[in-house]
Every structure is written in structure tokens, then in C-alpha cells.
Amino acid sequence: MVLSRLHCISLVGLEALPVEVEVDVNKSDKLNLVIVGLPDTAVRESKDRVLTAVKNGGFHLGSFQCTVNLAPGDLKKEGVLYDLPIAVGLIRSSGLLKGESSIIEDYLIVGELALSGELRPLTGALAIALLARDQKKKGVILPACNAKEAALVNGIEVYGLNHLKEVVQFLQSPSTFKPEVGLSFQNHLSSPPHLVDFSDIKGQFHVKRALEIAAAGAHNIVLSGPPGCGKTLMAKALPGIMPPLTLDEALEVTRVHSIAGLLSPNQSLCTQRPF
């Protein structure tokens, strides 16, 4: 049995920070799995999900003593992103992952596991892919439904997989899998028109002039007045007089929406300025 090291992330606000997942397994008379490294309740509960998912995935581990360390130890770990790397580390340390050498070090591995071993959708896929590129990783392994969003980042390979079995098969034989191909930015630009346009608003000439100046100079603006005077209506119309989002702006808006869980299931990039 070997000590496994895998690379994951921790979402703190809008940023993704690197986390190393260390898994050490030793034979024992009874099953015991301990997670250390400032885990929150969701992370501590992952041991039950992971053990069941590994069993239902067809991997028979037997009885063992396992310690999982999430480093750095002074960074609080929250959420369910650690299910997949813990499961892969457990399988590898138990000697059930054949054929891989150092490939496991080349990827960020993230994902929540269902009890069946299937991978559930996650939030923050774009931030995860950006961190993988900044960390000079070869790519990222994550749930298939988040692959198109992560593939917006150039320079890394994105593998969207559906089941724990597929992740193990990929690590054993990566050449049999093809990375997700991301659409170009131009293919995302066909977005619906804004719901409110300045031409639809009668009057309010002084407010329109103030908004035009604010938009032209990239200034902040404060709207103040009694209920019903048109503040929200004018704010909704403001994106309509601004230029389309650049790629960098679209990625920034998408990252915020992704981490907040506001992207629709079939949406991979935000192309409209948000209200």
C-alpha cells in the first residue's frame, strides 16, 4: 500500500485555492476512515458517501485504517468537492489502480459522488479550470455536466466523466479518452436582446443623460428616489447602451454566476452584462 497525493481545490469567495489530498491506507481488523485538515461537516460526512460509492463502483477494499489529510491544514475545507479525489486516493492506496504512474499528479480532480458512484454537478467549474491553468497542470477531471464550462479556458485539457469507474479507467488508460472541446467565444455571442431598451422609456431625460455619462466613463452611479419613480427600470436598461462583453469580462461574469450556482444547466458562458 502506498501514500497517494492528489490535487484538488478549495473555493474561497470567488477564488479557487489549491488543496493537496493525501491518502494513507494500512491494513486493519476493522474499517476506519479519518479526515483531517479543518474539514467542515460536509467534508467529514464524505467518508460515508465515498466508501459506499467505492463499493458500488465495484472496488472491494476490505478492512483498513485510512487517514486523509487535506493540506494546507490552516485553510478551512468546505463543500463536497473532495469526494472524488478521496475515493481515487483510496483506490490507489489500496493497490486497485493499475497502470498509472505520475499522471495522477498532472490533473486537478474534483467532484461530488452519489452513492452509486456517479458524479454530481458542481459549482465553480470555471474557477477550477483557471486555477489548473495557473498551476501549470495538464488538465482537470470533473463531472461531465460541467465540462463545457471548464473548457472555456484555453491551454488545459478538460475531461468530463460520469462515474467513478470512468475516472479510474482514465487514469489507467488516458489515451482512450478525448478531452472536451470548448466552443469559441464567437459561437457564444448569439444572445437574446435586452428586455428593456432606452427607447422604450418615455421621459426621464436627465436620468438617461446621467446613465450615458456613467456608462461612457465607466463610473459608478447611485439611483435614489421614492418607490415607483423608475430606478429599477432605468438600471435594467443600462446594459443595453453598453458595448458587448469582451472575453475576459464574460469569463469574470461567468465565474461569479458559476460559484453562486446561478448558471442554467445548458449554459456555459454568460454573454450579457448582468443586472
Side-chain angles (χ1 to χ4, degrees):
M1 294 185 176
V2 297
L3 173 65
S4 296
R5 288 187 175 91
L6 303 93
H7 299 281
C8 189
I9 64 101
S10 177
L11 290 174
V12 180
L14 300 179
E15 300 298 326
L17 301 179
V19 170
E20 186 176 70
V21 180
E22 298 177 310
V23 181
D24 182 70
V25 174
N26 294 293
K27 291 183 178 179
S28 177
D29 294 334
K30 59 181 180 178
L31 179 62
N32 188 28
L33 193 156
V34 178
I35 301 176
V36 297
L38 283 184
D40 71 347
T41 302
V43 180
R44 287 195 299 269
E45 289 181 347
S46 67
K47 61 183 181 181
D48 298 314
R49 289 193 302 271
V50 167
L51 292 175
T52 305
V54 169
K55 180 193 70 173
N56 291 334
F59 302 97
H60 302 287
L61 302 177
S63 298
F64 58 85
Q65 168 70 38
C66 177
T67 302
V68 177
N69 179 42
L70 306 177
D74 59 349
L75 175 66
K76 188 172 183 180
K77 317 303 186 305
E78 299 178 339
V80 292
L81 299 177
Y82 309 99
D83 287 8
L84 182 58
I86 292 174
V88 172
L90 187 57
I91 293 170
R92 181 176 186 267
S93 293
S94 300
L96 300 178
L97 185 55
K98 308 295 183 182
E100 62 86 26
S101 54
S102 62
I103 182 177
I104 204 169
E105 302 275 348
D106 298 334
Y107 294 87
L108 287 183
I109 303 176
V110 292
E112 177 188 359
L113 288 171
L115 296 184
S116 62
E118 295 178 351
L119 297 181
R120 297 185 183 277
L122 53 80
T123 58
L126 183 57
I128 294 167
L130 291 170
L131 177 65
R133 186 180 65 182
D134 295 342
Q135 293 284 313
K136 302 294 190 282
K137 295 295 182 185
K138 188 175 181 179
V140 59
I141 301 171
L142 76 175
C145 51
N146 300 108
K148 289 190 179 297
E149 178 188 341
L152 293 170
V153 179
N154 296 321
I156 62 169
E157 297 176 356
V158 175
Y159 291 93
L161 304 176
N162 294 297
H163 199 279
L164 177 60
K165 282 183 178 179
E166 290 186 20
V167 178
V168 173
Q169 291 169 1
F170 169 77
L171 295 173
Q172 291 175 332
S173 182
S175 60
T176 59
F177 290 79
K178 293 183 179 180
E180 183 75 21
V181 178
L183 295 175
S184 67
F185 181 57
Q186 298 299 324
N187 292 334
H188 286 280
L189 290 182
S190 56
S191 57
H194 295 279
L195 297 178
V196 181
D197 189 80
F198 264 31
S199 62
D200 300 328
I201 302 174
K202 306 303 180 184
Q204 302 281 19
F205 299 111
H206 62 296
V207 183
K208 290 181 181 178
R209 178 60 177 158
L211 290 175
E212 289 170 357
I213 295 172
H219 304 302
N220 297 323
I221 190 164
V222 176
L223 298 172
S224 177
C229 68
K231 301 185 297 298
T232 301
L233 183 66
M234 299 302 297
K236 284 183 178 179
L238 178 59
I241 65 171
M242 300 179 72
L245 290 172
T246 64
L247 177 57
D248 289 340
E249 290 173 335
L251 290 177
E252 183 177 356
V253 172
T254 304
R255 183 172 65 173
V256 174
H257 282 68
S258 175
I259 292 176
L262 299 177
L263 289 181
S264 61
N266 297 322
Q267 184 181 17
S268 59
L269 183 69
C270 294
T271 56
Q272 282 195 336
R273 295 188 180 275
F275 163 69

